[in-house]
Coordinates of all heavy atoms in Angstrom, one line a residue:
M1 N -70.6 62.3 -135.7 CA -70.1 61.8 -134.5 C -69.7 60.3 -134.5 O -70.3 59.5 -135.1 CB -71.4 61.8 -133.5 CG -71.1 61.5 -132.1 SD -70.5 62.8 -131.2 CE -71.9 64.0 -131.0
R2 N -68.6 60.1 -133.8 CA -68.1 58.9 -133.7 C -68.0 58.3 -132.4 O -67.8 59.2 -131.4 CB -66.6 58.7 -134.3 CG -66.7 58.8 -135.9 CD -65.2 58.8 -136.3 NE -65.4 58.6 -137.9 CZ -64.6 57.8 -138.6 NH1 -63.6 57.1 -137.9 NH2 -64.6 58.0 -139.9
G3 N -68.0 57.1 -132.1 CA -67.9 56.6 -130.8 C -67.7 55.0 -130.7 O -67.3 54.5 -131.7
F4 N -67.8 54.5 -129.5 CA -67.7 53.0 -129.4 C -68.6 52.7 -128.2 O -69.1 53.6 -127.4 CB -66.4 52.6 -129.3 CG -65.5 53.1 -128.0 CD1 -65.6 52.3 -126.9 CD2 -65.0 54.3 -128.0 CE1 -64.9 52.8 -125.7 CE2 -64.3 54.8 -126.9 CZ -64.3 54.1 -125.7
I5 N -68.9 51.5 -128.0 CA -69.7 51.1 -126.8 C -68.9 49.9 -126.1 O -68.1 49.2 -126.6 CB -71.1 50.5 -127.3 CG1 -71.0 49.3 -128.2 CG2 -71.8 51.7 -127.9 CD1 -72.2 48.6 -128.4
E6 N -69.3 49.7 -124.9 CA -68.8 48.6 -124.1 C -70.1 47.9 -123.6 O -71.1 48.5 -123.2 CB -68.1 49.0 -122.9 CG -66.6 49.5 -123.3 CD -65.8 49.8 -122.2 OE1 -66.3 49.9 -121.0 OE2 -64.6 50.2 -122.3
I7 N -70.2 46.5 -123.7 CA -71.3 45.8 -123.2 C -70.9 45.0 -122.1 O -69.9 44.1 -122.2 CB -71.9 45.0 -124.4 CG1 -72.3 45.8 -125.6 CG2 -73.1 44.1 -123.9 CD1 -72.7 45.1 -126.8
D8 N -71.6 44.9 -121.1 CA -71.4 44.0 -119.9 C -71.9 42.6 -120.3 O -73.0 42.3 -120.1 CB -72.0 44.6 -118.7 CG -71.7 43.8 -117.4 OD1 -71.3 42.5 -117.6 OD2 -71.9 44.4 -116.3
S9 N -71.0 41.8 -120.8 CA -71.4 40.5 -121.4 C -72.1 39.6 -120.3 O -72.9 38.8 -120.6 CB -70.2 39.8 -122.0 OG -69.2 39.7 -121.0
E10 N -71.7 39.7 -119.0 CA -72.2 38.9 -118.0 C -73.7 39.3 -117.7 O -74.4 38.5 -117.2 CB -71.3 38.9 -116.7 CG -70.1 37.9 -116.8 CD -70.5 36.6 -117.3 OE1 -71.4 36.0 -116.6 OE2 -69.9 36.0 -118.2
R11 N -74.0 40.5 -117.8 CA -75.4 41.0 -117.4 C -76.4 40.8 -118.7 O -77.5 40.7 -118.6 CB -75.4 42.4 -117.0 CG -74.8 42.7 -115.7 CD -74.7 44.1 -115.4 NE -76.0 44.7 -115.3 CZ -76.1 46.0 -115.1 NH1 -75.0 46.7 -115.1 NH2 -77.2 46.5 -115.0
C12 N -75.8 40.6 -119.9 CA -76.5 40.6 -121.1 C -77.4 39.2 -121.1 O -76.8 38.1 -120.8 CB -75.7 40.6 -122.3 SG -76.5 40.3 -123.8
K13 N -78.5 39.3 -121.5 CA -79.5 38.0 -121.6 C -79.7 37.7 -123.0 O -80.6 37.0 -123.4 CB -80.8 38.2 -120.8 CG -81.7 39.4 -121.3 CD -82.8 39.5 -120.3 CE -83.7 40.7 -120.7 NZ -84.7 41.0 -119.7
G14 N -79.0 38.4 -124.0 CA -79.2 38.0 -125.5 C -80.5 38.2 -126.0 O -80.9 37.5 -127.0
C15 N -81.2 39.4 -125.7 CA -82.5 39.4 -126.1 C -82.6 40.0 -127.5 O -83.5 40.0 -128.3 CB -83.2 40.5 -125.2 SG -82.6 42.2 -125.2
G16 N -81.4 40.7 -128.0 CA -81.2 41.1 -129.3 C -81.9 42.6 -129.6 O -81.7 42.9 -130.7
L17 N -82.5 43.1 -128.6 CA -82.9 44.5 -128.9 C -81.9 45.4 -129.4 O -82.1 46.3 -130.3 CB -83.6 45.1 -127.6 CG -84.9 44.4 -127.2 CD1 -85.3 44.9 -125.9 CD2 -85.9 44.6 -128.2
C18 N -80.7 45.5 -128.8 CA -79.6 46.5 -129.2 C -79.2 46.0 -130.7 O -78.9 46.8 -131.5 CB -78.4 46.3 -128.2 SG -77.6 44.8 -128.0
V19 N -79.1 44.8 -131.0 CA -78.6 44.3 -132.3 C -79.7 44.8 -133.4 O -79.1 45.3 -134.4 CB -78.6 42.7 -132.3 CG1 -78.3 42.2 -133.8 CG2 -77.5 42.2 -131.3
N20 N -80.9 44.7 -133.0 CA -81.9 45.1 -134.2 C -82.0 46.7 -134.1 O -82.4 47.2 -135.3 CB -83.3 44.5 -133.6 CG -83.3 43.1 -133.8 OD1 -82.7 42.6 -134.7 ND2 -84.0 42.4 -133.0
V21 N -81.8 47.4 -133.0 CA -81.9 48.9 -133.1 C -80.8 49.6 -133.7 O -81.0 50.7 -134.1 CB -82.4 49.3 -131.7 CG1 -81.1 49.6 -130.8 CG2 -83.1 50.6 -131.8
C22 N -79.7 49.0 -133.7 CA -78.5 49.8 -134.1 C -78.6 50.1 -135.7 O -78.7 49.2 -136.5 CB -77.2 48.9 -133.9 SG -75.7 49.8 -134.5
P23 N -78.5 51.4 -136.0 CA -78.8 51.8 -137.4 C -77.6 51.5 -138.3 O -77.7 51.5 -139.6 CB -79.0 53.4 -137.2 CG -78.3 53.7 -136.0 CD -78.3 52.5 -135.1
V24 N -76.5 51.2 -137.7 CA -75.2 50.8 -138.6 C -74.9 49.4 -138.4 O -73.8 49.0 -138.8 CB -74.1 51.8 -138.3 CG1 -74.4 53.3 -138.7 CG2 -73.7 51.8 -136.8
K25 N -75.6 48.6 -137.7 CA -75.4 47.2 -137.5 C -74.0 46.9 -136.9 O -73.3 46.2 -137.4 CB -75.4 46.4 -138.9 CG -76.9 46.7 -139.5 CD -77.9 46.1 -138.9 CE -79.3 46.3 -139.5 NZ -80.4 46.1 -138.5
A26 N -73.8 47.7 -135.8 CA -72.5 47.6 -135.2 C -72.3 46.6 -134.1 O -71.2 46.5 -133.5 CB -72.0 48.9 -134.8
I27 N -73.5 46.0 -133.8 CA -73.6 45.0 -132.7 C -74.0 43.6 -133.3 O -75.0 43.5 -134.1 CB -74.6 45.5 -131.7 CG1 -74.3 46.9 -131.2 CG2 -74.5 44.5 -130.4 CD1 -75.3 47.5 -130.3
T28 N -73.4 42.6 -132.8 CA -73.8 41.3 -133.2 C -73.8 40.4 -132.0 O -73.5 40.8 -130.9 CB -72.8 40.7 -134.3 OG1 -73.2 39.5 -134.7 CG2 -71.4 40.6 -133.6
F29 N -74.2 39.2 -132.2 CA -74.2 38.2 -131.1 C -72.8 37.4 -131.1 O -72.3 37.1 -132.2 CB -75.2 37.1 -131.3 CG -76.6 37.7 -131.0 CD1 -77.6 37.8 -132.0 CD2 -77.0 38.1 -129.6 CE1 -78.8 38.3 -131.7 CE2 -78.3 38.6 -129.4 CZ -79.2 38.6 -130.5
S30 N -72.3 37.2 -129.9 CA -70.9 36.5 -129.8 C -71.3 35.0 -130.0 O -72.5 34.6 -129.7 CB -70.4 36.7 -128.4 OG -69.3 35.9 -128.2
K31 N -70.3 34.3 -130.5 CA -70.5 32.9 -130.6 C -70.2 32.2 -129.2 O -70.5 31.1 -129.0 CB -69.5 32.3 -131.6 CG -69.8 32.6 -133.0 CD -68.9 32.3 -134.0 CE -69.2 32.7 -135.5 NZ -68.2 32.5 -136.4
K32 N -69.6 33.0 -128.3 CA -69.5 32.5 -127.0 C -70.7 32.6 -126.0 O -71.6 33.4 -126.4 CB -68.4 33.3 -126.4 CG -67.0 33.1 -127.0 CD -66.0 34.1 -126.3 CE -64.8 34.4 -127.3 NZ -64.0 35.5 -126.7
Y33 N -70.7 31.9 -124.9 CA -71.8 32.0 -124.1 C -71.3 32.7 -122.8 O -70.1 32.7 -122.4 CB -72.2 30.6 -123.5 CG -72.9 29.8 -124.6 CD1 -72.1 29.0 -125.4 CD2 -74.2 29.9 -124.9 CE1 -72.7 28.1 -126.3 CE2 -74.7 29.1 -125.9 CZ -74.0 28.2 -126.6 OH -74.6 27.5 -127.6
N34 N -72.1 33.5 -122.1 CA -71.7 34.0 -120.8 C -72.1 32.9 -119.8 O -72.6 31.7 -120.0 CB -72.4 35.3 -120.5 CG -73.9 35.3 -120.5 OD1 -74.6 34.2 -120.3 ND2 -74.5 36.5 -120.5
T35 N -71.8 33.2 -118.5 CA -72.0 32.1 -117.5 C -73.4 31.8 -117.2 O -73.8 30.8 -116.7 CB -71.4 32.6 -116.1 OG1 -71.9 33.8 -115.7 CG2 -69.9 32.7 -116.2
K36 N -74.4 32.6 -117.7 CA -75.8 32.3 -117.6 C -76.3 31.5 -118.7 O -77.4 31.1 -118.8 CB -76.7 33.6 -117.5 CG -76.4 34.4 -116.2 CD -77.3 35.7 -116.4 CE -76.8 36.8 -115.4 NZ -77.2 38.0 -115.8
G37 N -75.4 31.3 -119.8 CA -75.8 30.5 -120.9 C -76.3 31.2 -122.1 O -76.9 30.6 -123.0
Y38 N -76.1 32.5 -122.1 CA -76.6 33.3 -123.2 C -75.5 33.7 -124.1 O -74.5 33.9 -123.8 CB -77.3 34.6 -122.7 CG -78.5 34.4 -121.8 CD1 -78.4 34.9 -120.5 CD2 -79.7 33.8 -122.2 CE1 -79.5 34.7 -119.7 CE2 -80.8 33.7 -121.5 CZ -80.7 34.2 -120.1 OH -81.9 34.0 -119.4
H39 N -75.9 33.7 -125.4 CA -75.0 34.3 -126.4 C -75.1 35.8 -126.2 O -76.2 36.4 -126.6 CB -75.5 33.9 -127.9 CG -75.2 32.6 -128.4 ND1 -73.9 32.2 -128.5 CD2 -76.0 31.5 -128.6 CE1 -73.8 31.0 -128.9 NE2 -75.0 30.5 -129.0
F40 N -74.2 36.5 -125.7 CA -74.3 37.8 -125.4 C -74.0 38.6 -126.6 O -73.4 38.3 -127.6 CB -73.3 38.1 -124.2 CG -72.0 37.8 -124.5 CD1 -71.0 38.5 -125.2 CD2 -71.5 36.6 -123.9 CE1 -69.7 38.2 -125.3 CE2 -70.1 36.1 -124.2 CZ -69.2 36.9 -125.0
A41 N -74.4 39.9 -126.6 CA -74.2 40.9 -127.6 C -72.8 41.4 -127.5 O -72.2 41.5 -126.4 CB -75.1 42.1 -127.5
E42 N -72.3 41.7 -128.6 CA -70.9 42.4 -128.6 C -70.7 43.4 -129.7 O -71.4 43.2 -130.9 CB -69.8 41.2 -128.6 CG -69.7 40.5 -129.8 CD -68.5 39.5 -129.9 OE1 -67.9 39.2 -128.7 OE2 -68.3 38.9 -130.8
Y43 N -69.9 44.3 -129.5 CA -69.6 45.4 -130.4 C -68.7 44.8 -131.5 O -67.8 44.1 -131.2 CB -68.9 46.5 -129.7 CG -68.6 47.7 -130.7 CD1 -69.5 48.1 -131.5 CD2 -67.3 48.4 -130.5 CE1 -69.2 49.2 -132.4 CE2 -67.0 49.4 -131.3 CZ -67.9 49.9 -132.2 OH -67.6 51.0 -133.0
R44 N -69.0 45.1 -132.8 CA -68.1 44.7 -133.8 C -66.8 45.3 -133.9 O -65.9 44.8 -134.6 CB -68.8 44.9 -135.2 CG -70.1 44.0 -135.5 CD -70.6 44.3 -136.9 NE -71.8 43.8 -137.2 CZ -72.1 42.6 -137.6 NH1 -71.0 41.7 -137.8 NH2 -73.4 42.2 -137.7
G45 N -66.6 46.4 -133.2 CA -65.3 47.0 -133.2 C -65.2 48.3 -133.9 O -64.1 48.9 -133.9
E46 N -66.2 48.6 -134.7 CA -66.0 49.7 -135.6 C -67.4 50.1 -136.1 O -68.3 49.4 -136.1 CB -65.2 49.5 -136.9 CG -65.5 48.4 -137.8 CD -64.6 48.1 -138.9 OE1 -63.6 48.7 -138.9 OE2 -65.0 47.3 -139.8
G47 N -67.5 51.4 -136.5 CA -68.8 51.9 -137.1 C -69.7 52.5 -136.2 O -70.7 53.2 -136.7
C48 N -69.5 52.5 -135.0 CA -70.5 53.1 -134.0 C -70.6 54.7 -134.2 O -69.5 55.4 -134.3 CB -70.1 53.0 -132.6 SG -71.1 53.8 -131.3
I49 N -71.8 55.2 -134.3 CA -71.9 56.6 -134.4 C -72.5 57.4 -133.2 O -72.9 58.5 -133.2 CB -72.8 57.0 -135.7 CG1 -74.2 56.4 -135.5 CG2 -72.2 56.6 -136.9 CD1 -75.3 56.8 -136.6
A50 N -72.3 56.6 -132.2 CA -72.7 57.1 -130.8 C -74.1 57.7 -130.7 O -74.3 58.6 -130.0 CB -71.7 58.2 -130.3
C51 N -75.1 57.1 -131.4 CA -76.4 57.5 -131.3 C -77.1 57.3 -130.0 O -78.1 57.9 -129.7 CB -77.1 56.9 -132.5 SG -77.5 55.2 -132.3
G52 N -76.7 56.3 -129.4 CA -77.3 55.9 -128.1 C -78.5 55.0 -128.1 O -79.0 54.8 -127.0
F53 N -79.0 54.7 -129.3 CA -80.1 53.8 -129.3 C -80.0 52.5 -128.6 O -81.0 52.0 -128.0 CB -80.5 53.5 -130.9 CG -81.0 54.8 -131.6 CD1 -81.1 54.6 -133.0 CD2 -81.3 55.8 -131.0 CE1 -81.4 55.7 -133.8 CE2 -81.7 57.0 -131.7 CZ -81.9 56.9 -133.0
C54 N -78.8 51.8 -128.7 CA -78.6 50.7 -128.0 C -78.7 50.8 -126.5 O -79.3 49.9 -125.8 CB -77.3 50.0 -128.4 SG -75.9 51.1 -128.1
Y55 N -78.1 51.9 -126.0 CA -78.2 52.2 -124.6 C -79.7 52.4 -124.2 O -80.2 51.8 -123.1 CB -77.4 53.4 -124.3 CG -77.7 54.0 -122.8 CD1 -77.0 53.5 -121.8 CD2 -78.6 55.1 -122.8 CE1 -77.3 54.0 -120.5 CE2 -78.8 55.6 -121.6 CZ -78.1 55.1 -120.4 OH -78.4 55.6 -119.2
L56 N -80.5 53.1 -124.9 CA -81.9 53.3 -124.6 C -82.7 52.0 -124.7 O -83.7 51.8 -124.0 CB -82.4 54.4 -125.5 CG -81.9 55.8 -125.3 CD1 -82.3 56.7 -126.4 CD2 -82.1 56.3 -124.0
S57 N -82.4 51.1 -125.6 CA -83.2 49.9 -125.9 C -82.8 48.8 -124.8 O -83.7 47.9 -124.6 CB -82.9 49.4 -127.3 OG -81.6 48.8 -127.4
C58 N -81.7 48.7 -124.2 CA -81.4 47.7 -123.5 C -82.1 47.6 -122.1 O -81.9 48.4 -121.3 CB -79.8 47.6 -123.1 SG -79.3 46.2 -122.1
P59 N -82.9 46.5 -121.8 CA -83.7 46.5 -120.6 C -82.9 46.2 -119.3 O -83.3 46.4 -118.3 CB -84.7 45.3 -120.8 CG -84.0 44.6 -121.9 CD -83.1 45.5 -122.7
D60 N -81.5 45.7 -119.5 CA -80.8 45.5 -118.4 C -79.6 46.4 -118.2 O -78.7 46.1 -117.4 CB -80.4 44.0 -118.5 CG -81.4 43.1 -118.5 OD1 -81.7 42.6 -117.3 OD2 -81.9 42.7 -119.6
V61 N -79.6 47.5 -118.9 CA -78.6 48.5 -118.8 C -77.3 47.9 -118.9 O -76.5 48.1 -118.1 CB -78.8 49.5 -117.5 CG1 -78.1 50.8 -117.6 CG2 -80.4 49.6 -117.2
C62 N -76.9 47.2 -119.9 CA -75.7 46.6 -120.1 C -74.6 47.3 -120.9 O -73.5 47.1 -121.0 CB -75.7 45.2 -120.8 SG -77.1 44.1 -120.1
I63 N -75.2 48.5 -121.5 CA -74.4 49.0 -122.5 C -74.0 50.5 -122.1 O -74.9 51.3 -121.7 CB -75.1 49.2 -123.8 CG1 -75.6 47.9 -124.3 CG2 -74.4 49.9 -125.0 CD1 -76.4 47.7 -125.6
T64 N -72.7 50.9 -122.3 CA -72.2 52.1 -122.2 C -71.7 52.7 -123.4 O -71.1 52.0 -124.1 CB -71.0 52.1 -121.0 OG1 -71.4 51.5 -119.9 CG2 -70.6 53.6 -120.9
V65 N -72.1 53.9 -123.7 CA -71.8 54.6 -125.1 C -70.8 55.7 -124.7 O -70.9 56.4 -123.9 CB -73.0 55.1 -125.7 CG1 -72.6 55.8 -127.1 CG2 -74.1 54.1 -126.0
F66 N -69.7 55.5 -125.6 CA -68.7 56.6 -125.5 C -68.7 57.5 -126.8 O -68.7 56.8 -127.9 CB -67.3 55.9 -125.3 CG -67.2 55.1 -124.0 CD1 -67.6 53.8 -124.0 CD2 -66.7 55.8 -122.9 CE1 -67.5 53.1 -122.8 CE2 -66.7 55.1 -121.8 CZ -67.0 53.7 -121.6
R67 N -68.7 58.8 -126.5 CA -68.6 59.6 -127.7 C -67.2 60.3 -127.9 O -66.6 60.6 -126.9 CB -69.6 60.8 -127.5 CG -71.0 60.3 -127.8 CD -72.0 61.4 -127.8 NE -73.3 60.9 -128.2 CZ -74.5 61.3 -127.6 NH1 -74.5 62.4 -126.9 NH2 -75.7 60.9 -128.1
E68 N -66.7 60.3 -129.1 CA -65.4 60.9 -129.3 C -65.6 62.4 -129.3 O -66.5 62.8 -130.0 CB -64.8 60.4 -130.7 CG -64.1 59.0 -130.5 CD -63.5 58.6 -131.9 OE1 -63.3 59.5 -132.7 OE2 -63.3 57.4 -131.9
V69 N -64.6 63.2 -128.7 CA -64.8 64.4 -128.7 C -63.6 65.0 -129.6 O -62.4 64.7 -129.4 CB -64.5 65.1 -127.3 CG1 -64.5 66.6 -127.2 CG2 -65.6 64.5 -126.4
Q70 N -64.0 65.9 -130.6 CA -63.1 66.4 -131.4 C -62.6 67.8 -130.9 O -63.5 68.6 -130.6 CB -63.6 66.6 -132.8 CG -63.8 65.2 -133.5 CD -64.1 65.4 -134.9 OE1 -64.8 66.5 -135.3 NE2 -63.8 64.5 -135.9
K71 N -61.3 67.9 -130.8 CA -60.8 69.2 -130.4 C -60.6 70.1 -131.6 O -60.1 69.6 -132.6 CB -59.4 69.0 -129.6 CG -59.5 68.5 -128.2 CD -58.0 68.5 -127.6 CE -58.1 68.0 -126.3 NZ -56.8 67.8 -125.7
K72 N -61.0 71.3 -131.4 CA -60.8 72.3 -132.5 C -59.4 72.9 -132.5 O -58.9 73.3 -131.4 CB -61.8 73.4 -132.4 CG -63.2 72.9 -132.8 CD -64.2 74.1 -133.0 CE -65.6 73.6 -133.4 NZ -66.6 74.6 -133.3
T73 N -58.9 72.8 -133.5 CA -57.5 73.4 -133.6 C -57.5 74.6 -134.5 O -58.1 74.5 -135.5 CB -56.4 72.4 -133.9 OG1 -56.7 71.9 -135.3 CG2 -56.2 71.3 -133.0
G74 N -56.7 75.5 -134.2 CA -56.6 76.7 -135.1 C -55.4 77.6 -134.7 O -54.7 77.4 -133.8
V75 N -55.1 78.6 -135.5 CA -54.0 79.5 -135.3 C -54.6 80.8 -134.8 O -55.5 81.4 -135.4 CB -53.4 79.8 -136.7 CG1 -52.2 80.7 -136.5 CG2 -52.9 78.4 -137.3
Q76 N -53.9 81.2 -133.8 CA -54.4 82.5 -133.1 C -53.7 83.6 -133.8 O -52.4 83.5 -134.0 CB -54.0 82.5 -131.6 CG -55.2 82.1 -130.8 CD -54.9 82.3 -129.3 OE1 -53.9 82.4 -128.9 NE2 -56.0 82.5 -128.7
V77 N -54.3 84.8 -134.2 CA -53.7 85.8 -134.9 C -53.9 87.1 -133.9 O -54.7 87.1 -133.2 CB -54.2 86.1 -136.2 CG1 -53.7 85.0 -137.1 CG2 -55.7 86.3 -136.3
Ligands
SF4_1 S1 -74.5 53.9 -130.0 FE1 -75.8 53.7 -131.9 S2 -74.3 53.3 -133.5 FE2 -73.3 52.8 -131.6 S3 -73.7 50.7 -131.3 FE3 -75.2 51.7 -130.2 S4 -77.0 51.8 -131.6 FE4 -75.2 51.3 -132.8
SF4_2 S1 -80.4 44.8 -125.3 FE1 -79.0 44.4 -123.5 S2 -79.6 42.4 -122.8 FE2 -80.5 42.6 -124.8 S3 -78.8 41.7 -126.2 FE3 -78.4 43.8 -126.1 S4 -76.9 44.1 -124.4 FE4 -77.9 42.1 -124.3

């Protein structure tokens, strides 16, 4: 399964739970600050396997997980 995530950087408080829970280390802290003064979490841009652990761990529901859907192709006989 492949996917990607989006993180609402303005709602993130930089707790790091998602960074620690991701099994493929696809999330890191930004060097930038949000308007609340936190180094927010951000997706590295690749590697997500859409496991959903980050979504489940975030106390502020900042993360949306997208799963890629593979279409089956075949030849009809
Ligand atoms: S869905 Fe899973 S693999 Fe993807 S960023 Fe979140 S914890 Fe990492
Ligand atoms: S778990 Fe949520 S609040 Fe904590 S760093 Fe990740 S996105 Fe931000």
Side-chain angles (χ1 to χ4, degrees):
M1 183 81 70
R2 288 182 173 219
F4 64 95
I5 60 166
E6 287 181 357
I7 300 175
D8 186 340
S9 59
E10 279 306 313
R11 290 174 62 190
C12 175
K13 61 188 179 191
C15 69
L17 289 173
C18 61
V19 175
N20 290 326
V21 81
C22 179
V24 294
K25 306 294 178 203
I27 309 174
T28 186
F29 288 111
S30 174
K31 289 178 181 164
K32 300 176 196 164
Y33 296 93
N34 63 16
T35 56
K36 294 178 200 157
Y38 296 120
H39 282 294
F40 53 87
E42 66 181 8
Y43 180 46
R44 290 185 192 271
E46 59 183 10
C48 175
I49 56 173
C51 68
F53 290 169
C54 56
Y55 167 80
L56 293 171
S57 72
C58 180
D60 293 273
V61 199
C62 305
I63 301 175
T64 307
V65 180
F66 297 89
R67 288 188 173 144
E68 282 183 13
V69 178
Q70 287 189 331
K71 281 188 184 172
K72 287 189 177 172
T73 56
V75 179
Q76 271 193 328
V77 289

